[in-house]
Amino acid sequence: MAAQAGPSTLHSPSKPSTARVPFSPPKRTTGGSLKGKERALEDSTYPGAITYRHVLGNGNSGAASPLRVISHIDIDAAYASFEMVRLGLDPTVPMAVQQWNGLIAVNYPARAYGITRHEPPSEALKKCPHIVFIHVATYRNGDSEPGYWDDAKPETHKVSLDPYRRESLKILKIFNEHCPIVEKASIDESFLDLTLPVRAKLLARYPYLATLPEGADLDTPLPTPKEMGVTVDWEKVGNLIPINGQKKEVKEVSAEAEEEGEGEGKEEGTSKSAEPVAEEKEVETLEEPHLTWSDVALSIGAEIVATCRNAVHERLGYTCSAGIAPNKMLAKLCSAWKKPNAQTILRHACTPAFLSPMSFQKIRNLGGKLGTQVKEAYGAETVGELKEVELSELQSKLGDDSGTWVWEIIRGLDFSEVEPKTQVKSMLSSKNFRPSISRYSEVCHWINILATELHLRLAEAREQSPGLWPKTITFTHRSPTYVIRSHQTPFPYTSNLSIAYITKFGDKLLRIAIGAGEKLREIKEDSKIGPYSNIQLSFSGLERSEGGQRGIEGFFSAAAAGRANEGAGRVKREGTSEAQGDDVKGKRRKMDDNDDGTPASAINDADDAEITLASTPPPPSRSPTPPLPDLPTYTCPTCRNTLTLPSSAIDSLRPSFDASAAALLLQREKDEHADWHFAREMVEKDRKKSFGGTVKGGAGGKGKSEKGVKGKGGEKAEGKKGKGQQSLMSFFG
């Protein structure tokens, strides 16, 4: 179909613009410049000559390598499979995972009855009276972990995907055993860059490729597989998409057969759309292409994928479907070609016929507004129709970058990298409400449940990555009219992470959101706020302490903080009067409890930033036993605090006194005090970077910020504060 002539609906003909195109194409890191149609796939010889450089060069040659092998692996009916294995159900039993009054996962035996996702359980029962329903795990207020409750209801419980995330991590671990570069795309799907292990197997299997022939250089083309007598038995490695494109078998994959998306459906806003399935059409019979080294590489990649899939099934009990292709986009498309428990290989030469009858709007990033505008502009429906539009025309309508990307992607060219997500950067817990909630007690109820989910996820992440900690906690609320507002505050480290600790910050941000301020005492459980149709609690800026340094928990453990603060509070500070000490104690009491007797952890003043980094236990009561003679002391040259042995250490010296043991105990106190100073400097440096102010001066002594705000004793000494910024001194009690 030819491109439509006439003015475009995308922009004014006299002023080309990309302002109305809501899309930024993925950043190209490889692939080189594109002029004309040099990389068009109509040429069956694509991807061109494969040279010794491609098999002997360093690295994996980037995303433009003709020997690139990418796989997309998808767990079949993931959530249903996870639950069936957990319950030990027979694989032939029809089963569906239920979320409230909808189905979010349906296993293949149930699909045979025509049951689909998102339909009500009552309708599914009409189609299959013996189907088994399992409701997804939920959080309820007061429990530290999600569970499977008989009385779960959306008014009081929140859906949890944590059990599925745990299984996903187990699967990811198996993939990493067989492939060095793995990208987790969602709970149930991953991309594997198999280029390096494939090249290693290629050289081991065909050692003559590892040596340059006499007179050849790295840019000399490899001898063809046919010349070397190399063949591939495709039936042993998977389903091969034929040169003519998709055939009748594709009809067994429907839009409803697609796997469930990650997250709690509507609450977390992450659902996975169905992959494209082309209609069966009469196609021209084409001659089978000659075997290339790219094809051989794909066959070796298919062998590795089969090993991965078998390992997942044997060790965890789950079946997978996979696609093996030269890039991520093609691998994802062909992984749905035959399901379940199968794998499909797409060769370069077969790509045009595979893509041409497909709706281009089914390609990832070509749906939505961009796809609609392209469709309206050119009157095209399929990839084949859109391919008739010239590159220059696409660039004039969509802009150079977007136009080039569209031109490439419909020809099967995708230069995006497989990017391992080595560390979690953020965590989100969200809840939708229908109808909206508008009472203070209701919001507090849900903040506690959201904090429970964040607590579990952060604790589990810290087990995998010790030292991981978020910089910021954010409370977001949405009104029924979709007005969205967010409030955030630093999330200081504590060695005693608890649900209550997270809830305290959520409550603080809630009060900021409703503008409580000085009217704190007027807030009652039935006070009207909001209304809110959605609330979220999230962590951001998660980072680990750098290798080679002690973890931040080592600096701020309860024992270290307790001893350091005990020493600072127990001894008389130079230049600090008793009156100042009483004033500090008064400030502590005000922070611990409000005037009405409500604990500060439940309700803090919206402007109060005095939140301690870690709980500091009170000094143990002294024994009336007379003090031992010659107890050593130490005066810190930085903060001028005099350190003495804590009572527990003194008790260990009784009944006999050992001076060397006393010196060793004091040295331990000195080391911990030095660690405290070092950790304090780290946090000051980080806050200076974030907020533009830092505190100078020793612990407990006089300090002055770079912005000129002074402080004495235990009072706040802070720089210029932005909204929601806390006093640095409050981090250290």
Side-chain angles (χ1 to χ4, degrees), residues 140-160:
R140 67 180 181 184
N141 210 0
D143 290 290
S144 59
E145 292 193 9
Y148 295 86
W149 320 111
D150 294 334
D151 61 343
K153 51 186 177 181
E155 293 80 14
T156 55
H157 293 62
K158 182 192 180 302
V159 166
S160 169

Side-chain angles (χ1 to χ4, degrees), residues 442-681:
E442 290 179 309
V443 181
C444 289
H445 166 90
W446 287 109
I447 284 180
N448 189 69
I449 292 180
L450 301 183
T452 300
E453 182 172 25
L454 287 182
H455 172 262
L456 181 63
R457 294 183 61 186
L458 180 58
E460 290 182 346
R462 283 170 57 78
E463 290 179 3
Q464 300 291 328
S465 303
L468 191 69
W469 195 260
K471 288 185 176 181
T472 305
I473 182 170
T474 302
F475 171 68
T476 303
H477 54 89
R478 185 182 71 205
S479 73
T481 57
Y482 275 78
V483 176
I484 302 173
R485 301 190 186 280
S486 295
H487 309 271
Q488 66 180 33
T489 187
F491 189 70
Y493 175 80
T494 177
S495 60
N496 299 316
L497 177 64
S498 65
I499 297 171
Y501 186 76
I502 300 173
T503 301
K504 176 173 66 176
F505 286 88
D507 289 341
K508 171 185 171 67
L509 292 171
L510 170 61
R511 289 188 304 278
I512 294 175
I514 63 180
E518 297 299 327
K519 300 179 180 180
L520 205 57
R521 299 174 188 170
E522 298 180 9
I523 300 178
K524 307 297 182 183
E525 287 193 357
D526 58 351
S527 295
K528 295 292 184 179
I529 63 174
Y532 300 142
S533 62
N534 170 275
I535 64 170
Q536 301 175 7
L537 208 58
S538 60
F539 287 141
S540 59
L542 279 87
E543 294 182 356
R544 291 184 58 184
S545 57
E546 297 181 4
Q549 295 180 350
R550 292 179 57 188
I552 192 69
E553 50 267 65
F555 293 117
F556 292 111
S557 64
R563 289 192 183 107
N565 289 331
E566 180 186 348
R570 182 173 62 249
V571 300
K572 184 176 180 179
R573 301 170 182 171
E574 294 186 6
T576 303
S577 67
E578 292 293 331
Q580 288 174 321
D582 292 337
D583 184 54
V584 173
K585 293 177 183 178
K587 290 180 179 291
R588 290 286 183 199
R589 285 195 298 270
K590 183 176 180 181
M591 183 181 68
D592 291 340
D593 296 282
N594 291 288
D595 295 337
D596 59 359
T598 307
S601 59
I603 299 180
N604 288 330
D605 187 84
D607 297 325
D608 178 16
E610 297 232 351
I611 300 177
T612 56
L613 183 65
S615 58
T616 304
S621 59
R622 298 282 184 173
S623 169
T625 307
L628 293 170
D630 301 325
L631 290 179
T633 61
Y634 170 75
T635 300
C636 175
T638 302
C639 64
R640 308 306 300 171
N641 286 335
T642 300
L643 303 181
T644 62
L645 297 179
S647 58
S648 58
I650 294 175
D651 292 340
S652 68
L653 298 174
R654 302 181 188 278
S656 61
F657 175 72
D658 186 340
S660 60
L664 183 62
L665 290 172
L666 182 65
Q667 183 61 45
R668 183 183 302 172
E669 295 296 313
K670 292 166 58 177
D671 292 341
E672 290 182 349
H673 188 73
D675 289 343
W676 184 86
H677 275 296
F678 180 69
R680 184 174 185 270
E681 292 173 1

Side-chain angles (χ1 to χ4, degrees), residues 238-242 245-253 258 275-278 321-323 331-339 342-345 354 358:
N239 303 299
L240 191 67
I241 291 180
Q246 303 185 59
K247 286 189 175 181
K248 192 172 184 178
E249 291 89 338
V250 79
K251 282 193 171 182
E252 68 184 67
V253 181
E258 280 307 304
E275 294 301 335
V277 178
S321 295
K332 182 172 175 61
L333 290 178
C334 69
S335 66
W337 197 67
K338 277 198 175 182
K339 300 184 76 170
Q343 62 183 48
T344 301
I345 303 100
F354 177 68
M358 189 179 295

